[in-house]
Amino acid sequence: MSEAASAKRKEKCENCTKQCNKKNDGVVATAEEHHEANGEASGDSQPLLSACLSCDGCVSEEESLKIGQQNLEELNRILALNKKCDAAEHKVLVVSLCPQSLPFFAVKFDLDIAEATRKLCGFLKSLGVQYVFDTTVAAGFSILESQREFVQRYRRRHHDSQALPMFTSSCPGWIRYAERVLGNLVTPHICTARSPQQIMGCLVKDYISQQQVGLSAEKVFHVVLAPCFDKKLEAVREEFYSSLLDSRYVDCVLTSAEVYDMMERRKVSVAELDSVPLDHVLGEEGDTAPVRYEGRTSEGFLEHVFKHAAKELFGLDVTEVTYKTLRNRDFQEVTLERDGETLLQFAAVYGFRNIQTLVQRIRKGRVPYQLVEVLSCPGGCLSGRGQAGGDAAGRPDKALVQQMEDAYISLPVALPEVNPLLHTLYQEWLEGQDSAQAGATLRTQYRDLSHAPTPHMQW
């Protein structure tokens, strides 16, 4: 790709004016419609890139093939093979549930989240799934590693120009955009902690399968149930394949809506499903009721890092984080002050329109924040297109999203710092928090791919 073509591609994407022949159902929301749906003002009506991968225009043919294998047909294929082939050839099916998917099923089942989770677990096991976990433990690892990295970056900020601001790394849509379009402008600033999905993949394929179940990784078929289509692309990233295990950490990602559609096609009666508790990561019996981490609609990286940094760097205990709305409810900031001095300033930036504003400020050197939690979906993970899609233009169902938010905040809040399971796994699985194994398993690197050829792109 020539420099001129590359520059044109970046300019198009950065201004959200993508013109694409691959429209979802032949409909693309205009900028005006998109902003109206998300409470934002707009002055143009060009087709808008409202989700980074909404049209797959930046996806290579190889990636398209891999993503195409992540669907219900693939799950059904494995289930059918298990019924036909010799038991020795069976795949052990493991499903990991993202906490942000659970409110969707609570609303659809008209149950509280705890009972809806048990019903969902009962359905999955009735299909032939052997183990069902939630990804809260993996999110706990990701939060703890993000906390440690932020403190390290903050302490070297005076002699490392790329230490701050730090951008969160849990959203694959944002990571795709950062690597493919923004490149070195932001990639050195992205937190190296792996996302909860990929840490859960390592936990299932490395620790649970081999140490708890006694199976090699290739004998395990690991499915993640997520609120977001972009998680499918994250699962096929090169660095998330283990040559040592000869296996991907996540074999298939299904969205909440895909699984619910499967239930509807099978005419499943929720009332008749068994209520089955989630499995325990250590294979023990005990409370596996769903919990959430602090945060509005996502994993709560901003709040957990903010409180940890306040205590670790300044000796201040923060009990409640107060958000200040700036442009809209998806662009907010939090500030730590002492005696009139601003000590920390973080921001939560959701949705690509707000991300564009952030990028413009980065280019001008006008970013006052030490950390920015970036998510590509307006409204956060609960509003992921894999469960909150509403009309033909892809605008979220506002009533459904509100119901999911109400259900989500009803979950009890957990603190990863005091979770004994995480401390046990750091020692038994990773040989300690500062070990080389912990670094290799829980961290990754993000690259500048802005000049890499992308043959499938249409602008």
Side-chain angles (χ1 to χ4, degrees):
M1 181 182 291
S2 68
E3 288 190 16
S6 178
K8 184 178 180 181
R9 182 188 85 185
K10 292 175 68 175
E11 179 183 1
K12 290 273 189 185
C13 194
E14 288 168 3
N15 289 285
C16 280
T17 57
K18 188 170 186 178
Q19 307 288 342
C20 181
N21 295 326
K22 293 175 177 258
K23 301 182 177 78
N24 291 331
D25 299 323
V27 181
V28 172
T30 66
E32 183 178 358
E33 290 171 335
H34 176 79
H35 300 318
E36 181 182 352
N38 295 293
E40 303 171 10
S42 171
D44 63 72
S45 58
Q46 297 180 0
L48 176 69
L49 177 60
S50 59
C52 187
L53 305 178
S54 61
C55 72
D56 82 356
C58 64
V59 181
S60 69
E61 291 182 6
E62 181 182 0
E63 288 170 329
S64 294
L65 179 62
K66 292 176 180 177
I67 295 170
Q69 296 170 344
Q70 299 199 29
N71 51 39
L72 289 172
E73 286 72 20
E74 184 68 6
L75 174 61
N76 288 329
R77 184 183 70 83
I78 298 297
L79 291 169
L81 284 176
N82 280 354
K83 292 179 180 179
K84 294 178 182 179
C85 67
D86 184 85
E89 302 298 322
H90 284 188
K91 292 270 192 179
V92 173
L93 275 93
V94 178
V95 175
S96 297
L97 310 176
C98 293
Q100 291 76 31
S101 287
L102 302 180
F104 173 82
F105 291 96
V107 173
K108 292 296 185 180
F109 295 171
D110 194 22
L111 298 169
D112 61 61
I113 290 186
E115 181 59 16
T117 302
R118 289 189 287 267
K119 291 288 188 178
L120 177 61
C121 186
F123 169 69
L124 293 170
K125 293 204 170 184
S126 73
L127 296 176
V129 174
Q130 282 91 333
Y131 299 95
V132 181
F133 305 105
D134 76 3
T135 63
T136 304
V137 62
F141 274 121
S142 191
I143 289 170
L144 292 178
E145 293 297 312
S146 298
Q147 289 175 339
R148 298 180 71 217
E149 180 169 339
F150 177 79
V151 169
Q152 293 165 358
R153 283 175 175 264
Y154 186 89
R155 286 173 172 162
R156 69 172 190 263
R157 69 193 185 282
H158 293 306
H159 59 270
D160 181 356
S161 62
Q162 296 180 328
L164 297 176
M166 184 177 92
F167 301 114
T168 57
S169 56
S170 64
C171 174
W174 154 244
I175 293 298
R176 181 79 171 184
Y177 176 66
E179 288 186 322
R180 295 300 179 104
V181 179
L182 304 179
N184 198 54
L185 178 69
V186 300
T187 50
H189 296 269
I190 298 175
C191 178
T192 63
R194 291 198 188 201
S195 73
Q197 171 173 297
Q198 292 308 322
I199 293 177
M200 194 67 198
C202 295
L203 184 62
V204 167
K205 288 295 184 85
D206 181 29
Y207 182 76
I208 296 174
S209 65
Q210 297 187 64
Q211 298 190 41
Q212 296 295 315
V213 184
L215 292 172
S216 57
E218 67 269 16
K219 287 286 189 181
V220 175
F221 189 81
H222 182 208
V223 179
V224 169
L225 198 162
C228 174
F229 284 107
D230 293 358
K231 287 292 185 181
K232 294 175 183 281
L233 187 56
E234 180 186 56
V236 302
R237 287 177 65 97
E238 291 180 9
E239 62 268 35
F240 297 150
Y241 174 87
S242 171
S243 56
L244 180 63
L245 300 175
D246 190 25
S247 175
R248 290 203 170 276
Y249 292 118
V250 176
D251 298 293
C252 182
V253 175
L254 299 176
T255 66
S256 311
E258 286 178 303
V259 172
Y260 185 70
D261 288 345
M262 180 186 191
M263 297 179 72
E264 287 198 313
R265 286 199 301 271
R266 290 172 176 252
K267 302 187 185 306
V268 172
S269 169
V270 173
E272 295 177 4
L273 287 172
D274 292 334
S275 293
V276 180
L278 294 169
D279 292 293
H280 197 286
V281 168
L282 296 180
E284 302 172 349
E285 292 188 5
D287 185 15
T288 54
V291 297
R292 69 178 177 91
Y293 293 123
E294 293 180 294
R296 296 180 296 160
T297 58
S298 303
E299 298 289 5
F301 283 87
L302 183 151
E303 294 197 20
H304 284 281
V305 175
F306 187 81
K307 291 182 177 182
H308 176 78
K311 181 66 174 179
E312 184 73 14
L313 297 172
F314 305 105
L316 298 177
D317 290 308
V318 176
T319 57
E320 184 176 350
V321 175
T322 302
Y323 287 87
K324 176 184 177 182
T325 300
L326 299 180
R327 291 170 56 86
N328 48 66
R329 69 185 293 255
D330 282 333
F331 199 131
Q332 298 187 315
E333 67 178 31
V334 297
T335 304
L336 179 69
E337 296 181 342
R338 181 172 59 189
D339 299 329
E341 178 188 3
T342 298
L343 303 177
L344 291 175
Q345 197 170 6
F346 288 9
V349 178
Y350 300 169
F352 270 90
R353 193 67 174 185
N354 288 323
I355 291 174
Q356 300 309 316
T357 300
L358 174 67
V359 170
Q360 291 169 9
R361 294 182 183 180
I362 295 171
R363 293 193 185 284
K364 295 176 181 178
R366 298 177 181 173
V367 178
Y369 310 117
Q370 293 86 32
L371 178 140
V372 184
E373 181 182 72
V374 189
L375 299 174
S376 64
C377 288
C381 295
L382 283 181
S383 299
R385 288 189 168 214
Q387 64 183 27
D391 59 22
R395 289 170 293 194
D397 182 331
K398 291 183 178 181
L400 173 60
V401 171
Q402 186 59 58
Q403 288 177 290
M404 289 193 292
E405 289 183 8
D406 293 342
Y408 188 66
I409 62 174
S410 72
L411 284 172
V413 175
L415 298 176
E417 297 90 338
V418 296
N419 186 340
L421 175 58
L422 288 171
H423 294 288
T424 298
L425 288 171
Y426 264 120
Q427 299 305 317
E428 292 187 2
W429 175 36
L430 300 172
E431 302 176 357
Q433 192 169 22
D434 297 312
S435 70
Q437 174 145 340
T441 303
L442 304 179
R443 300 295 183 99
T444 188
Q445 294 293 327
Y446 297 100
R447 300 161 291 167
D448 178 359
L449 300 175
S450 59
H451 299 291
T454 311
H456 197 69
M457 299 191 79
Q458 301 184 29
W459 296 97

